[in-house]
Amino acid sequence: SYTYFDDKAYQKIASRKSAYNLHEEAFERPWQIIRTNPDALKKNPNLPKYKHPAGAPVKPMFLPRTVEAYKQEQQGGTLYITEGLFKGISLDLNGFLSVAVSGIGMYKVSDELLQVLKACNFDKVVLLYDRDAKDLKQKEGVFTTNRLKAFNRSPEVFARQFFAAADRYGISTKLYFAMIAPSAPKKGVDDLLNTPDCKEGAIKELQ
């Protein structure tokens, strides 16, 4: 499990005039996220989809199969990195190694992900995007290209970090980019895997 150092609380105590023997380990906090209910998001799209601890860094979310692969230093296989915890869970429940990130701009080679890449030396890492990754969005009736720009930037940033790490640490993993086909009946891989008519075909594609 993750922990993070609560620097805000530490600085608050450290700034007091009273004498304290500060022990940094006392300011380690469990890192956890809260996923906003989808129904609440429909009513208020401006709500954050994920709530992270105040002052804590945003971290990737490793699903159980990936955690176990890391612990066992399992070699090879395919690791999927996808946007959204529900997608990561759906992949994990269907037998795939997966890591979830909390937004399209969070596809990054974090310190935690790097440790997993070094330990497991996967055959493939696949960045998996939603069907609407390249769609233009409307805001107050005006089309905006912000998400499209973010989509174009996302794999570029990850690839640059990934290949730098691969060169430095001798990682032989191949990197792939994929997105749900625009013609697919569902937007995300979780929807496909949880829809009986789509599940078998989705699993075949992922394999």
Side-chain angles (χ1 to χ4, degrees), residues 57-128:
V58 177
K59 295 177 178 285
M61 296 166 273
F62 295 91
L63 280 298
R65 289 180 189 275
T66 305
V67 172
E68 191 60 28
Y70 171 70
K71 288 180 178 179
Q72 300 296 327
E73 295 189 4
Q74 173 184 320
Q75 299 297 295
T78 299
L79 176 69
Y80 286 93
I81 304 178
T82 188
E83 179 190 357
L85 184 56
F86 288 174
K87 297 178 181 69
I89 291 172
S90 294
L91 286 164
D92 184 82
L93 290 175
N94 283 279
F96 298 98
L97 299 172
S98 59
V99 176
V101 296
S102 57
I104 198 168
M106 297 309 299
Y107 285 84
K108 298 176 181 178
V109 181
S110 65
D111 291 341
E112 295 83 8
L113 179 58
L114 178 57
Q115 294 307 310
V116 175
L117 294 174
K118 289 164 61 179
C120 297
N121 204 24
F122 302 102
D123 296 320
K124 303 175 184 176
V125 165
V126 180
L127 303 193
L128 183 58

Side-chain angles (χ1 to χ4, degrees), residues 133-186:
K134 297 195 295 184
D135 288 358
L136 294 174
K137 301 294 183 181
Q138 286 194 63
K139 186 174 183 180
E140 298 178 353
V142 178
F143 282 102
T144 173
T145 60
N146 288 345
R147 182 169 173 83
L148 182 58
K149 290 177 180 177
F151 169 74
N152 290 332
R153 193 164 51 244
S154 173
E156 177 186 351
V157 169
F158 187 93
R160 187 164 55 245
Q161 296 174 349
F162 177 86
F163 289 121
D167 287 343
R168 182 173 183 180
Y169 297 104
I171 298 169
S172 60
T173 305
K174 294 182 179 179
L175 178 62
Y176 293 82
F177 306 101
M179 66 177 286
I180 304 302
S183 59
K186 301 292 181 180

Side-chain angles (χ1 to χ4, degrees), residues 14-85:
S15 65
R16 293 179 179 175
K17 294 181 179 180
S18 303
Y20 287 93
N21 290 320
L22 293 177
H23 299 282
E24 293 190 358
E25 59 271 19
F27 295 89
E28 291 290 332
R29 307 283 189 251
W31 183 90
Q32 57 188 356
I33 62 167
I34 298 173
R35 172 64 159 84
T36 304
N37 189 295
D39 292 335
L41 287 171
K42 288 179 181 178
K43 293 179 181 178
N44 185 359
N46 293 321
L47 288 174
K49 186 178 288 187
Y50 297 97
K51 295 179 182 178
H52 297 266
V58 177
K59 295 177 178 285
M61 296 166 273
F62 295 91
L63 280 298
R65 289 180 189 275
T66 305
V67 172
E68 191 60 28
Y70 171 70
K71 288 180 178 179
Q72 300 296 327
E73 295 189 4
Q74 173 184 320
Q75 299 297 295
T78 299
L79 176 69
Y80 286 93
I81 304 178
T82 188
E83 179 190 357
L85 184 56

